[in-house]
C-alpha cells in the first residue's frame, strides 16, 4: 500500500508516538507514581503466595542429603548478588557524586553561549515507518531551531520512499532554517548493509572538511530526541576536553505484545544501572548506535571508517569473517584500544520505537542472537587488550560477561538434578529464585519510571534465555542475522563441516557441564 493510501494510519501512529513521548517527558513531579495501586496489590499477592509456599512446602534446603547443593547455590548466589550490588552502589556514586559536578560545568558553558563550531548528525534509515521518521526529524529540527546549533544532517537511506518522507518533512517544517543552520544531505547507499551506509556518510563528511573538535552524533532512524538532548550532551565535551565519546539514557516505546514492552523496559532499567557503574571508570561497554556522540577527530580517521565498513574477526575454526551488525561495538573497540575516555549522560534521554507484530518470541530470540553475538565477537579482542589498556574494573566486567553465561545455568541444572531425587527440592529452589529476584528488581525499580511486578519473573527468564543463546553463539560466532533490517544474513564461507565441528564442541561442552553438576548433585554415578 502506498504512503498516500496509508496516510490516515501514518498520521494516527505519529500522534500515538508523539503522545507517548510527551507523557514520558513529563517532569518528575508530574509523572504517575512509580509504585501505583495495581503494583502494590500485585506485590502483596506475590509476597503472600511466597510466604505461604515457604510455610507449606517442605524445606529441603537444610536437609542433610541436599546440604552440599544448598551450600553451592548459596555461595554462587552470594558471589553473583554481591557483584550486582557492587554495580548498584557504583551507579549511585556516579549519579550523586560524580555527575552533578560534570553537569554544573557543562551547563555553565552552555548558558555562557558556548556552541560547537558545527554538529554533524550521522543517521541511517532503512524502509522505516514514515510516522517514525517524521517524529525523529521533528525532534531534531525543533532543537536545532531552538538551540541555534549549526548542524549538518547526513542521512543514509535505503530507498526512494525514505528520501521522499525526509524531503517532504524538511520542505514543510524546516524551510525557515538556512543551510548555515541546518544542512540536510541524503545519500542512497549503493552497497548492502548498515555498515556500508555509515562508511559512505563518514567519507562524505571527511571530504567536506570536518574539524577535529566538531561533534558527530551517530543515531538510528528510529531514535527520537528528548526535549533537551542537544543542550545536555554537547557542552559535556567542552567541559571535559579529554572526553572522546558519550552515550545517553534511553527509553523504549513498544507497539507490540504487552509482555515484550515490559521486558524491554526492564532491559533499559538494567542498562541505566550498568552504564552509570561503568562510567565511574571513564568507560562504557557500548557506544550504542541508537544515539552516541563523538569528537570528529576519531570519526574522520581513515582507519576508523574502514573498521566500520569491514570489521572482521579471525577465528581458528571459522577463519576470517566480516561483521554484519554491531557497528556500535566496532566504534567502541576502536576507541577503547586507543585509551579514549567515554562517559554516560544519565539526565539526557532518547526514545526508540519498536514495532513488533505477532507474539514477539521470534523478535526476542533474534535480538538476543544479535546482541549476544556482537558482545562475544568484540569481547574476546577487548579482553586481549589487557588491564593496562582497559581500566581494570571494565576489563573484569568483560571477563565476567563470559563467566556469567555458565554460572546462570548452574541453578536450573542443580534444581533439575535435585528434583530427580526429591521433587520438593525443586519447589524449595523456586521459592528461593522468586525471593531473590524480588530483591534484585527492587534495585532495578530505582532506575525505572514505573515499577512492574512482572519483572520478578521476566528477570529470571531473561537470564536463562540469554545464557542459552550465548552458549549457542559462543560456538557459532560466524552465524549472523539482522531480522529487523531486511532479514540480512551473513556467515563464513564453506560453513558445512565447520558447523558440524561447532555443534560437536557445543554438545560436548554442555554435556561435560551437566555431567559434572549431575555427579556433584548425586544424581549421576562417579564414572571411575
Amino acid at each position: 500500500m502506498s504512503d498516500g493510501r496509508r496516510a490516515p494510519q501514518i498520521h494516527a501512529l505519529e500522534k500515538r508516538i508523539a503522545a507517548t513521548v510527551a507523557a514520558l517527558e513529563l517532569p518528575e513531579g508530574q509523572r504517575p507514581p512509580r509504585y501505583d495501586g495495581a503494583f502494590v496489590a500485585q506485590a502483596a499477592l506475590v509476597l503472600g503466595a511466597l510466604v505461604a509456599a515457604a510455610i507449606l512446602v517442605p524445606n529441603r534446603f537444610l536437609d542433610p542429603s541436599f546440604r552440599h547443593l544448598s551450600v553451592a547455590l548459596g555461595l554462587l548466589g552470594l558471589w553473583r548478588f554481591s557483584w550486582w550490588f557492587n554495580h548498584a552502589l557504583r551507579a549511585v556514586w556516579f549519579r550523586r557524586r560524580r555527575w552533578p559536578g560534570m553537569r554544573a560545568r557543562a551547563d555553565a558553558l552552555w548558558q555562557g553561549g558556548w556552541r560547537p563550531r558545527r554538529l554533524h548528525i550521522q543517521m541511517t534509515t532503512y524502509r522505516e515507518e514514515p510516522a517514525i521518521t517524521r517524529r525523529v526529524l521533528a525532534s531534531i529540527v525543533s532543537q536545532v531551531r531552538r538551540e541555534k546549533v549549526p548542524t549538518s544532517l547526513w542521512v543514509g537511506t535505503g530507498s526512494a520512499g525514505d528520501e521522499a518522507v525526509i524531503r517532504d518533512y524538511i520542505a514543510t517544517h524546516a524551510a525557515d532554517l538556512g543551510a548555515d543552520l541546518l544542512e540536510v544531505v541524503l545519500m542512497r547507499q549503493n552497497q548492502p548493509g548498515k555498515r556500508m551506509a555509515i562508511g559512505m556518510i563518514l567519507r562524505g563528511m571527511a571530504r567536506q572538511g570536518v574539524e577535529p573538535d566538531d561533534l558527530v552524533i551517530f543515531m538510528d532512524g528510529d531514535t527520537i530526541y528528548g526535549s533537551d538532548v542537544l543542550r545536555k550532551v554537547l557542552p559535556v565535551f567542552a567541559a571535559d576536553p579529554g572526553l572522546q565519546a558519550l552515550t545517553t539514557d534511553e527509553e523504549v516505546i513498544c507497539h507490540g505484545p504487552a509482555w515484550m514492552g515490559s521486558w524491554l523496559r526492564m532491559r533499559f532499567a538494567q542498562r541505566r544501572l550498568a552504564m552509570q557503574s561503568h562510567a565511574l571508570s571513564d568507560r562504557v561497554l557500548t557506544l550504542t548506535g541508537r544515539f552516541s556522540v563523538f569528537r570528529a577527530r576519531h570519526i574522520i580517521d581513515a582507519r576508523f571508517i574502514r573498521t566500520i565498513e569491514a570489521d572482521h574477526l579471525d577465528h581458528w575454526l571459522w577463519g576470517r569473517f566480516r561483521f554484519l551488525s554491531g557497528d556500535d561495538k566496532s566504534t567502541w573497540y576502536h576507541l577503547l584500544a586507543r585509551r579514549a575516555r567515554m562517559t554516560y549522560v544519565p539526565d539526557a534521554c532518547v526514545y526508540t520505537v519498536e514495532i513488533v507484530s505477532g507474539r514477539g518470541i521470534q523478535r526476542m530470540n533474534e535480538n538476543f542472537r544479535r546482541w549476544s553475538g556482537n558482545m562475544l565477537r568484540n569481547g574476546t579482542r577487548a579482553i586481549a587488550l589487557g588491564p593496562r589498556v582497559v581500566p581494570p574494573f571494565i576489563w573484569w566486567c568483560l571477563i565476567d560477561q563470559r563467566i556469567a553465561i555458565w554460572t546462570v545455568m548452574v541453578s536450573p541444572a542443580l534444581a533439575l538434578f535435585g528434583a530427580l531425587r526429591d521433587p520438593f527440592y525443586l519447589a524449595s529452589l523456586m521459592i528461593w529464585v522468586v525471593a531473590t529476584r524480588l530483591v534484585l528488581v527492587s534495585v532495578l525499580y530505582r532506575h525505572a519510571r514505573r515499577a512492574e511486578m512482572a519483572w520478578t519473573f521476566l528477570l529470571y527468564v531473561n537470564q536463562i534465555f540469554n545464557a542459552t543463546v550465548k552458549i549457542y553463539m559462543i560456538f557459532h560466532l560466524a552465524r549472523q542475522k539482522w531480522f529487523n533490517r531486511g532479514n540480512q544474513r551473513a556467515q563464513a564461507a564453506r560453513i558445512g563441516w565447520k558447523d558440524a565441528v561447532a555443534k560437536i564442541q557445543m554438545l560436548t561442552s554442555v554435556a561435560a557441564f551437566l555431567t559434572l553438576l549431575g555427579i556433584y548433585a548425586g544424581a549421576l554415578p562417579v564414572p571411575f
Side-chain angles (χ1 to χ4, degrees):
M1 186 184 296
S2 68
D3 287 348
R5 294 174 61 187
R6 291 180 59 224
Q9 295 97 314
I10 293 171
H11 182 64
L13 177 60
E14 186 177 356
K15 287 183 65 176
R16 288 202 306 273
I17 294 171
T20 304
V21 171
L24 292 170
E25 285 281 291
L26 288 173
E28 189 73 33
Q30 299 179 27
R31 295 176 187 171
R34 180 180 282 120
Y35 306 101
D36 57 20
F39 172 82
V40 172
Q42 293 167 2
L45 182 63
V46 170
L47 287 171
L50 191 64
V51 171
I55 294 172
L56 298 174
V57 173
N59 187 345
R60 293 293 187 263
F61 271 142
L62 302 180
D63 188 308
S65 62
F66 289 102
R67 189 170 297 159
H68 61 300
L69 298 186
S70 302
V71 169
L73 289 172
L75 291 175
L76 183 63
L78 182 63
W79 169 33
R80 300 313 304 168
F81 298 154
S82 63
W83 183 244
W84 172 282
F85 286 112
N86 179 40
H87 276 300
L89 291 173
R90 286 173 57 90
V92 170
W93 187 268
F94 176 81
R95 184 63 188 262
R96 295 185 179 179
R97 296 289 184 176
R98 172 79 69 83
W99 180 248
M102 296 170 66
R103 168 51 60 213
R105 291 190 295 273
D107 284 349
L109 287 167
W110 191 261
Q111 291 163 9
W114 178 89
R115 297 294 186 272
R117 187 196 73 87
R118 193 159 192 89
L119 172 66
H120 302 268
I121 301 176
Q122 180 277 124
M123 183 176 91
T124 56
T125 183
Y126 182 80
R127 299 178 182 176
E128 189 60 80
E129 278 285 339
I132 296 175
T133 300
R134 290 173 60 84
R135 293 319 307 165
V136 169
L137 293 173
S139 70
I140 295 172
V141 169
S142 63
Q143 292 192 41
V144 170
R145 177 182 287 117
R146 183 179 68 240
E147 308 296 352
K148 300 294 188 292
V149 178
T151 301
S152 294
L153 174 59
W154 301 75
V155 187
T157 66
S159 69
D162 294 332
E163 295 164 6
V165 172
I166 296 168
R167 287 196 181 98
D168 176 70
Y169 187 90
I170 295 298
T172 304
H173 299 278
D176 59 313
L177 302 179
D180 288 343
L181 189 57
L182 179 61
E183 176 190 24
V184 179
V185 182
L186 301 182
M187 304 181 74
R188 177 86 63 85
Q189 64 183 92
N190 53 14
Q191 296 185 59
K194 181 184 177 184
R195 285 177 172 272
M196 299 308 296
I198 294 174
M200 180 176 61
I201 291 173
L202 297 183
R203 292 183 186 280
M205 285 186 190
R207 286 193 297 269
Q208 191 186 58
V210 177
E211 296 294 327
D213 280 327
D214 286 354
L215 298 180
V216 182
I217 292 176
F218 277 36
M219 63 175 288
D220 284 343
D222 61 355
T223 299
I224 300 171
Y225 292 9
S227 60
D228 52 4
V229 164
L230 295 186
R231 179 181 68 80
K232 286 188 172 179
V233 303
L234 301 184
V236 176
F237 287 92
D240 185 353
L243 183 68
Q244 301 303 317
L246 63 77
T247 191
T248 67
D249 184 21
E250 293 181 34
E251 189 58 271
V252 64
I253 300 172
C254 181
H255 293 270
W259 71 264
M260 192 165 189
S262 182
W263 170 66
L264 288 169
R265 288 188 292 272
M266 181 190 73
R267 295 272 303 183
F268 279 112
Q270 291 177 299
R271 179 182 182 274
R272 292 183 193 105
L273 185 153
M275 280 287 190
Q276 292 178 91
S277 171
H278 300 150
L280 197 59
S281 296
D282 291 322
R283 302 292 188 278
V284 292
L285 286 193
T286 185
L287 291 165
T288 176
R290 295 189 186 96
F291 186 91
S292 292
V293 191
F294 304 83
R295 288 194 192 274
R297 63 168 54 95
H298 296 288
I299 304 307
I300 58 178
D301 180 76
R303 290 171 299 176
F304 177 88
I305 297 174
R306 191 54 187 158
T307 295
I308 291 291
E309 293 174 332
D311 202 2
H312 62 272
L313 189 67
D314 290 308
H315 190 270
W316 71 269
L317 175 62
W318 303 108
R320 173 168 293 189
F321 61 91
R322 290 171 63 167
F323 298 162
L324 174 64
S325 61
D327 51 274
D328 49 357
K329 286 289 190 180
S330 296
T331 60
W332 167 77
Y333 175 75
H334 182 90
L335 295 180
L336 186 73
R338 287 155 180 78
R339 295 182 169 89
R341 289 183 49 235
M342 316 168 196
T343 196
Y344 170 74
V345 179
D347 57 4
C349 188
V350 298
Y351 304 95
T352 57
V353 184
E354 291 279 348
I355 297 180
V356 184
S357 57
R359 294 179 299 173
I361 293 293
Q362 182 183 12
R363 182 71 164 269
M364 179 184 184
N365 178 55
E366 296 299 339
N367 281 346
F368 268 136
R369 288 187 61 173
R370 182 162 55 87
W371 297 336
S372 300
N374 291 335
M375 182 273 287
L376 292 167
R377 282 184 283 271
N378 285 275
T380 300
R381 60 186 185 178
I383 292 171
L385 294 173
R388 293 185 178 180
V389 175
V390 182
F393 181 80
I394 298 298
W395 184 72
W396 180 253
C397 286
L398 293 167
I399 294 174
D400 183 73
Q401 286 180 336
R402 301 301 184 103
I403 297 173
I405 296 172
W406 297 99
T407 58
V408 164
M409 303 304 290
V410 171
S411 64
L414 288 182
L416 292 175
F417 284 127
L420 294 176
R421 296 174 54 193
D422 187 337
F424 282 118
Y425 190 79
L426 177 61
S428 297
L429 189 59
M430 292 309 299
I431 294 171
W432 162 260
V433 166
V434 174
T436 53
R437 268 58 194 180
L438 278 171
V439 175
L440 295 179
V441 296
S442 69
V443 176
L444 278 184
Y445 292 152
R446 301 305 305 169
H447 299 271
R449 284 180 166 81
R450 179 169 63 89
E452 301 181 52
M453 184 51 60
W455 290 8
T456 306
F457 310 99
L458 284 174
L459 181 61
Y460 192 63
V461 172
N462 179 81
Q463 291 170 330
I464 300 299
F465 199 116
N466 196 13
T468 302
V469 172
K470 284 178 179 177
I471 289 172
Y472 175 84
M473 291 306 303
I474 286 173
F475 301 98
H476 298 84
L477 287 177
R479 286 195 174 274
Q480 303 173 73
K481 183 178 178 182
W482 204 340
F483 182 74
N484 57 333
R485 192 175 173 89
N487 203 23
Q488 298 175 28
R489 299 170 184 264
Q491 59 187 28
R494 300 185 300 277
I495 204 168
W497 69 268
K498 296 179 181 181
D499 196 46
V501 172
K503 282 185 169 57
I504 291 171
Q505 281 187 298
M506 181 181 70
L507 293 174
T508 303
S509 299
V510 172
F513 176 76
L514 293 176
T515 299
L516 289 173
L517 291 179
I519 293 171
Y520 180 78
L524 297 176
V526 178
F528 48 83

